Amino acid sequence: MSLLPESSGLLPYWLLVVVAFSLLNTVQCYNSVHFARRTFNGPRSEAEVTPFAGRLFGSWSFLSGLVRLYAAYHINDKHLYFLALSTYLIVLSTFAGELLVYGTLKVGKGLAPPLFVATTSVVWMITQWSFYVD
C-alpha cells in the first residue's frame, strides 16, 4: 500500500487532510475540555460540555477519522464512500440539533471550521459520486 492514495482526483487527499485534523482534535479533546468548548460555545454549553463530553467528542472524531481514512484509500468502494459521506451528514445534523434545539452551539468562529469542512465534503462527495463510485 502506498503512503498516498492511488486513486485519481483530489477527494482522497482532502479526506486525508480531514483525517489529520480529526486525529489532532481527538488528542486535544482527550487532554482538555477547552477545545470542545471552542466549538460547543452556546448559552447552555458551560453545563453540558463536561470533560466526559469532550472525550466523547474526541472519540467521535477518532471514529469518523478512521472511516474517512479507509475511504481515502478505497474511494471507489461505494460502501466506504457512503460511510464517509454519512460521517459528514451526521456531523451536520448533530450541529443543527445542538444549534437549534439544545443551545450548546452558537454561530461564530468555533463553529465555522467544522461547518466549512462538513459542508464542503458533503457537496464534494455528492457531486463526485459518479466519478469515484462504479
Side-chain angles (χ1 to χ4, degrees), residues 51-69:
F52 172 72
R55 292 188 302 273
L56 192 60
F57 185 55
S59 296
W60 161 256
S61 293
F62 181 77
L63 178 60
S64 61
L66 191 61
V67 169
R68 295 166 188 162
L69 178 67

Side-chain angles (χ1 to χ4, degrees), residues 37 110 128:
R37 284 194 176 136
Q128 295 300 302

Side-chain angles (χ1 to χ4, degrees), residues 43-124:
R44 296 173 58 193
S45 63
E46 188 66 34
E48 298 207 20
V49 182
T50 64
F52 172 72
R55 292 188 302 273
L56 192 60
F57 185 55
S59 296
W60 161 256
S61 293
F62 181 77
L63 178 60
S64 61
L66 191 61
V67 169
R68 295 166 188 162
L69 178 67
Y70 274 92
Y73 286 96
H74 304 282
I75 198 76
N76 302 114
D77 182 317
K78 69 179 175 182
H79 303 302
L80 284 173
Y81 195 98
F82 178 75
L83 282 174
L85 174 59
S86 296
T87 65
Y88 294 113
L89 293 170
I90 291 168
V91 165
L92 288 175
S93 63
T94 299
F95 284 169
E98 295 299 326
L99 178 68
L100 302 171
V101 177
Y102 302 110
T104 58
L105 279 175
K106 67 179 182 181
V107 176
K109 65 179 181 177
L111 180 60
L115 191 60
F116 171 79
V117 169
T119 304
T120 300
S121 300
V122 165
V123 170
W124 195 348

